[in-house]
Each structure stands twice: as structure tokens, then as C-alpha cells.
């Protein structure tokens, strides 16, 4: 226990409830909060002349300090982490691309206990602003050697990466006698074009041909020769 005015920089070991009739009733500060100078008047206003704090220990990390380590274990290219809150950090995509995950490292870290990393499935497209993973330190404090073990288990490279889509030039050959001779409308090429656009690709060349294998082969080869991806 220590005087509230002396508690700046220390970590609360309990929730602090604020009740303002008709306005709010709930925690104004939660267990694990690091007390700042501007928090002192608020604590005094809710009758907390003294608070219980976690005493610093050189062998332990506070949950938010440890969460930052877990974030760094995970965070690869083209993503950023949220601010730590109660031992939790989220990773968010900075661009559109494909998410990859080193599953062996992820499993090794999650097997240690007292911490967890939950991710999307790797190998799928993600968009800028998508949440890729959530990390969590479970206790309020955790042994420093436990976090060192997590770093070792994960290995030297980040567990997650986002690989941005490069703009590809696509050539599309639409086939079918019924479309070539105008018997029906071609409604499928626009679908292909929109699906390509989802990944940043453009339909740079397009032709419609009858069911003539030689002509189709020649058209494909011509598109490749002209630089289509």
C-alpha cells in the first residue's frame, strides 16, 4: 500500500470503481494500469488516498511489457500493433496482400503457457485494416525467463508476414462459338475482370474466339509474348 500522490509510474493491483449518480458506475482504472500524473486527481476524487501497487521485481515483466515482446515475436512486414491494454495487443494489416504464418513457431509459443497468440489462417488474402492476430499475456506479471523462452521458441524471424499484391497484367481469352457468333451475351468476362481487380490485377488484353484450339493457343502465346503475366 502507498500514498496515491507517490504512486506515479507504479502498477495498480486492483480495479478502481467510479460512481457518478446517473452518469457512470464502473472501473475508471483497471488492475494492471500504470498510474500517470494526470490520474492522481481522479483517484483522489473517488476516495483513494492510498492504493495497492505491484512492487517492481527485476525477475518479472508487467503484462503490458511482456505483451510488447509477444508483439515483436509476431510482427513482420506490412503490419502494426495496437497499444497494449491489459496484456493484450492486436496486429493490423497495413496493406492488401497475402498473410503467411510460421505455424511451427506459433505452436511452440502457444505451448509454453501463460501467453497466447490467436491468428487468422495463413495463406489467405487480407485487406488493409484487417485484424491479423491477437496476443495476450494471461497473468498480471510474468517471469522474464518465460518471455525469453518464447523468443527462443519462435526463432529469429517474425511469425507473421503480409506479402503485398503486385499489380499483374492479365490476358483473358473468352471462348465459345455461342459467344463468338453473338448468339448469347458474354456475361462472364466482366466477372473475371472484377475478380482480378480484387487482387490489384488489370485485364490488359482480351479477345473472344470460337472453339478453335489452334486459334486459342495462338492467342494465349501472343498475350504472353506481349508481356502478360
Amino acid at each position: 500500500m502507498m500514498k496515491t500522490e507517490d504512486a506515479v509510474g507504479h502498477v495498480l493491483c486492483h480495479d478502481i470503481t467510479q460512481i457518478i449518480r446517473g452518469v457512470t458506475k464502473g472501473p475508471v482504472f483497471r488492475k494492471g494500469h500504470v498510474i500517470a500524473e494526470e490520474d492522481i486527481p481522479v483517484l483522489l476524487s473517488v476516495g483513494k488516498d492510498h492504493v495497492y501497487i505491484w512492487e517492481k521485481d527485476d525477475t518479472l515483466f508487467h503484462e503490458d511489457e511482456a505483451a510488447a515482446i509477444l508483439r515483436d515475436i509476431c510482427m513482420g512486414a506490412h503490419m502494426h500493433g495496437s497499444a497494449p491494454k491489459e496484456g493484450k495487443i492486436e496486429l493490423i494489416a497495413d496493406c492488401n496482400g497475402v498473410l503467411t504464418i510460421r505455424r511451427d513457431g506459433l505452436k511452440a509459443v502457444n505451448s509454453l503457457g501463460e501467453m497466447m497468440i490467436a491468428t487468422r489462417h495463413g495463406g489467405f488474402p487480407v485487406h488493409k485494416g484487417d485484424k491479423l492476430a491477437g496476443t495476450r499475456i494471461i497473468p498480471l506479471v510474468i517471469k522474464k525467463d518465460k518471455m525469453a523462452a518464447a523468443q527462443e521458441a519462435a526463432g529469429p524471424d517474425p511469425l507473421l508476414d503480409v506479402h503485398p499484391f503486385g499489380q499483374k497484367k492479365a490476358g483473358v481469352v473468352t471462348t465459345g462459338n455461342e459467344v463468338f457468333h453473338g448468339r448469347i451475351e458474354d456475361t462472364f468476362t466482366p466477372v473475371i475482370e472484377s475478380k482480378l481487380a480484387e487482387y490489384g490485377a488489370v485485364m490488359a488484353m482480351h479477345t473472344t474466339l470460337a472453339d478453335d484450339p489452334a486459334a486459342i493457343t495462338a492467342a494465349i502465346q501472343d498475350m504472353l509474348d506481349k508481356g502478360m503475366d
Side-chain angles (χ1 to χ4, degrees), residues 173 175 177 209-221:
V173 181
T175 65
N177 289 335
L209 297 175
D211 292 319
D212 178 346
I216 293 167
T217 301
I220 292 170
Q221 188 60 57

Side-chain angles (χ1 to χ4, degrees), residues 39-214:
D39 300 334
I40 301 304
V42 181
L43 290 165
L44 294 174
S45 75
V46 296
K48 298 299 179 186
D49 292 331
H50 296 83
V51 291
Y52 289 93
I53 59 96
W54 167 58
E55 291 187 289
K56 296 275 187 183
D57 183 331
D58 288 341
T59 69
L60 298 172
F61 281 126
H62 174 252
E63 59 181 352
D64 285 350
E65 295 175 304
I69 294 171
L70 213 52
R71 173 201 63 207
D72 293 343
I73 286 172
C74 293
M75 191 166 64
H78 307 292
M79 65 187 73
H80 68 276
S82 64
K85 182 180 179 183
E86 298 176 2
K88 292 178 279 189
I89 291 180
E90 292 179 332
L91 292 172
I92 300 160
D94 289 335
C95 66
N96 298 349
V98 175
L99 174 67
T100 58
I101 298 171
R102 289 199 298 106
R103 293 168 62 96
D104 55 342
L106 179 65
K107 182 176 180 180
V109 174
N110 278 337
S111 298
L112 292 172
E114 296 189 293
M115 66 189 79
M116 55 79 65
I117 304 165
T119 74
R120 289 171 173 257
H121 287 296
F124 284 86
V126 295
H127 297 91
K128 181 178 180 179
D130 282 351
K131 292 178 182 177
L132 307 176
T135 69
R136 175 73 190 270
I137 301 298
I138 297 166
L140 175 62
V141 296
I142 190 168
K143 289 281 189 182
K144 288 184 177 181
D145 58 7
K146 192 70 173 278
M147 296 311 301
Q151 290 170 308
E152 184 176 353
D157 299 320
L159 296 182
L160 280 66
D161 277 301
V162 173
H163 304 269
F165 296 131
Q167 190 176 67
K168 301 288 187 180
K169 293 183 296 181
V172 177
V173 181
T174 304
T175 65
N177 289 335
E178 68 280 15
V179 176
F180 181 74
H181 293 294
R183 297 170 190 148
I184 66 168
E185 181 186 356
D186 173 17
T187 59
F188 195 65
T189 298
V191 175
I192 295 292
E193 188 172 13
S194 67
K195 286 181 178 291
L196 289 166
E198 289 181 28
Y199 301 99
V202 293
M203 188 174 74
M205 293 183 69
H206 173 245
T207 189
T208 302
L209 297 175
D211 292 319
D212 178 346

